[in-house]
Amino acid sequence: SDWTKGTGATISGGKANFAGGGGAYASILTQNSVVTTSQNYKISFEVSNFVSGQVVVSIGFNTQLTVSANGSYVFYGIAQVGDNTNFIVRNGASNFIGSIDNVSVKEVTGDQPRLNYDISNWCWW
């Protein structure tokens, strides 16, 4: 219900459905102000009922993954400064006919891997 729907994009049966048409990049679903710039995100989703074309899933317009087959997909990205803060699902250069489900956008936080360079406890013999 929080999605803005463009030409050829619908939501039914718990899935986002794309019927192609409207030309490249015309079929689109958008949620505004979902991400924060300069933050890291993990994006996952499933493509099903694939018939043809490409689907592009993105945070903003520059951090994206383009796929053209059924399956589960995961990618990581940073919402770029100067980009919008929207989450976008749209058809690619080829009109996408298929469905998207189980979409997840999670901010990646927590401890970063660290290396300990303290050599005071090393044994040299």
Side-chain angles (χ1 to χ4, degrees):
S1 64
D2 294 333
W3 293 91
T4 301
K5 298 177 219 63
T7 304
T10 62
I11 298 175
S12 65
K15 296 182 180 186
N17 304 292
F18 290 79
Y25 307 107
S27 294
I28 188 168
L29 291 171
T30 306
Q31 279 194 343
N32 298 325
S33 302
V34 172
V35 297
T36 303
T37 56
S38 301
Q39 296 298 317
N40 294 306
Y41 290 91
K42 175 184 178 183
I43 299 95
S44 59
F45 61 96
E46 292 180 17
V47 175
S48 61
N49 305 317
F50 177 82
V51 175
S52 64
Q54 300 170 316
V55 63
V56 179
V57 176
S58 66
I59 52 176
F61 285 113
N62 295 307
T63 303
Q64 62 189 20
L65 179 65
T66 302
V67 299
S68 56
N70 286 331
S72 296
Y73 298 91
V74 175
F75 73 101
Y76 294 84
I78 297 174
Q80 299 180 23
V81 174
D83 206 353
N84 67 44
T85 58
N86 300 340
F87 179 72
I88 303 164
V89 180
R90 62 181 169 81
N91 64 353
S94 300
N95 287 329
F96 175 60
I97 300 174
S99 302
I100 302 291
D101 196 7
N102 297 318
V103 175
S104 172
V105 179
K106 295 181 181 178
E107 185 175 346
V108 178
T109 61
D111 289 340
Q112 298 298 317
R114 289 179 261 177
L115 297 175
N116 184 353
Y117 291 104
D118 179 5
I119 63 170
S120 63
N121 294 320
W122 286 15
C123 182
W124 294 98
W125 67 93

